[in-house]
Amino acid sequence: MDLNDIRGGRLAVISEESEQQDFSRESSTMEAYNVVPEPGGRTFQRFSVNTNESLRFEPCEDSCPSPTGAEDGRDDVFEKGECEGEIASIRNQLQGKVAEMENFAGHLEEIFLTVEENFGRQEQHLEQHYNDVLQTLSQRYDDRETGLQEEKKSKLESLYKQLVACGQALDTSKELIETAQEVYRCQDERLFLKTVMPIIKRVEEFAKEDIDLSLSTSLEFSTPLADLSDVKTMMDSINVVPAPSAPVINPQLPNSATQTSLHVCWSLFSDDTVEYYELYYRPVLEDTPADSTCAPQESKVKVKETHCTVTDLLHNAQYELWVTATNTTGISPASEKALYMTVPSPPAIKQRECSSCPEAALIRWESGNTNPVDSYIVELSETGTVGAESNITESIVAVPTCQCLIQLQAGRQYLISVRAVNIGGPSDRSDAITISTTGTFFYLLEDTAHPCLSMSEDGFTIFYGDEELPITAMAFEDNTFTRCVAILGDLIPVRGRHYWEVEVDDETEFRVGVAYEDTERDGYLGANGSSWCMRHIRTPSRHKYEFLHNGWSPDLRITVHPVRIGVALDYDRGTLRFFNANLEQHLHTFHCRFHNYVHPCFSLDNPGALTVHNGIQAPDYTFI
Amino acid sequence: MALTQVSSNKCAGGFQKVFEHDSTELKCKMKFAIYLPPKAETDKCPVLYWLSGLTCTEQNFITKAGSQLAAAEHGIIVVAPDTSPRGCNIEGEDESWDFGTGAGFYVNATQDPWKTNYRMYSYVTEELPKLINANFSTDPDRMSISGHSMGGHGALICALKNPGKYKAVSAFAPICNPVQCPWGQKAFTGYLGADRSAWEAYDATVLAASYSGPQLDILIDQGRDDQFLSASQLLPDNLIAVCSEKKIPVVFRLQPGYDHSYFFIYSFINDHIKHHAKYLNA
């Protein structure tokens, strides 16, 4: 053992060098060593307190001085001058060593205490066990004794009964014999003859009767083998480690799960010895029927550690988990059941329902999970001008619903993605959507389209077909225009300035402008107070234009038909302006304080088509 | 050329001034009004030329139209000349209010006794801009023209006859087709003689039909209750028809309830100045 070596080595050096003061200290440390108990043949457990390192004393050179006096005979050490430095350093060394030894002594004390604790616990354990055994034995004894007593009682009773029966039989026989004798002695020969025959018969019969002379009960007592097997088990278990108690399963740590796996942790309730654990899990289904006939299957994993990662699970699903601990003695009871959740599946951004403007973007998505999730995280990064993707620059957490209005900077390009979050952690990122904050961008609201309107695949051109659809074939929904062949645009609900362009041809009669979201679906654009529009009417000889609101229009003439109309909406100034975008020519301005958000509106008054262009930076002249 | 300041009033942060000078084209002393916006103190500004209508002088516009605020906001110098030569003592010049004094019709007269002095076309398109550019902080490349009634006619013909010279043009109740209306016929007969082909050189509708040059963008406001409209003096439909056919961009607004007066001009002058500013400040 290192201790002895060192004791023998280094300390010997010290004792040699400094007899008086250090000797007393040394002896006390030696005392400490001697006190180390070695109870009951048990091997001394070496606790790793890194004493190895601290005990590695460097061999001291010969010139270790005694701090006390000159009695060790090394006078030359006390020569002043060059030895003073050495003295100081050596003293420091010694002090260091002393500190280390004190440290070691402290460790030993700890060890001692722990061992005592262990011992105490074992003693307690043992006492309890033996008490249990004794209790069981005495109980057995009592049981057996009672049993025997009862047996004795029953035997005696039956024997007594037999005795009584015998006595009765004897009496009967005696009576018979007396009667017979009496008859025999009877003088009356007639009477004798009358009665002798039945009596003889009776006697014969009686004589024929077998007399059971056997004892009703045996004289032996049954002594069944005492069933002391459980006592034996108890005795055995004294020397054996008890079966573990139920482990404690931890609640789910945030961010410890993935979409298909869970990281589960548990701990031992007490200081049990465990050979391995078994973790059980099964999914919690929402519509589990009352009877357990078709309960979900439970799976089992055997692990040695107090944690386990369970894989191959469903997304965004709740699982019930419990764990048992097993050792040579047996299996513990099951722990409490814990509920864990896997991480959700990533959401899917709905491209056609997203809109943007120079200062903001509105992103909408589908949850991507059948079960509800706790919240969403929206992540955005700015794509560099070179096109290289930079890191996530911003995250918006705790988004409660499937949409988010994000503030952005003008003239940039962003990649935006969404994650779903539940207690298990965040899902993977959804597919990203590219948002460009140049100009205002929006899609058309398909569910507002009049049934006669059809849309191009990219969603920006609307057509009013030639064929007359019969009324019955037209599928009107709650939100569709029913008379005006119109459709609304999904403008982002942000005040400020917005600009878009509409491409038309020479012949198509159209209305373009803006309307409140709740504009009358059975009305015509511009005919009511909730919509403003530029209207083009085609006559055989010329073009006519109206700028309609509340059914009223100024009277004007435009000599060059605009085929690309610029629409500039300024919420703050309260203006809606129309331009011939190709000529940069201003056509008309509506002045109105919009009390609510408005949507771009488009309608075709005769068969034709128009195309919406957006994501265009507003030309300077549009907002002078 | 020497300019004499006649008056100066601070207005809308800038200065409304009136100057007098000896005109070489008109051979007499002429006054003109000029509004200098605040910006003119530090920068070269574009110039809007305003041509007034029958019976007006350089005063009507600057006192009644209310243009100074918008001009100051957009940093535009506004020059408003007189409507005809004055004090020339030509016989018959004061006989009618719609011919002679105050009714120059912005032509260069070819007939006696008018041809010496009544050269308003050259005055407005040549002499005056040179004078203004030489004496004020202007950007000579950026000028535009506008006017009312006879001045509207003047603005239109100046723009149509000088493609590219004016960055923008607009008019209030202009005489669009003088050769077809009583006013025009009377004036052209007197200034240009009986040859109608000489008249056509000063008729906006005729000029539009043969215009070729940089794209124009014409804004015209017309009061619906303008008595002269109903008296067929103005004839805007003729101009519109020609412009529609020739694809000259015009926005013509018929304003209900408005008449021919400066109240009408006052009501829409901001829209016009904004229209000019878009091109002058581009």
Side-chain angles (χ1 to χ4, degrees), chain B residues 207-221:
Chain B
L207 290 166
S210 59
Y211 175 81
S212 75
Q215 190 168 275
L216 294 166
D217 178 4
I218 306 173
L219 173 63
I220 300 174
D221 270 310

Side-chain angles (χ1 to χ4, degrees), chain B residues 50 60-68 262 265-267 269:
Chain B
W50 170 269
N60 308 67
F61 179 70
I62 65 174
T63 53
K64 293 186 178 185
S67 61
Q68 288 86 343
Y262 266 87
I265 297 170
Y266 181 95
S267 304
I269 190 68

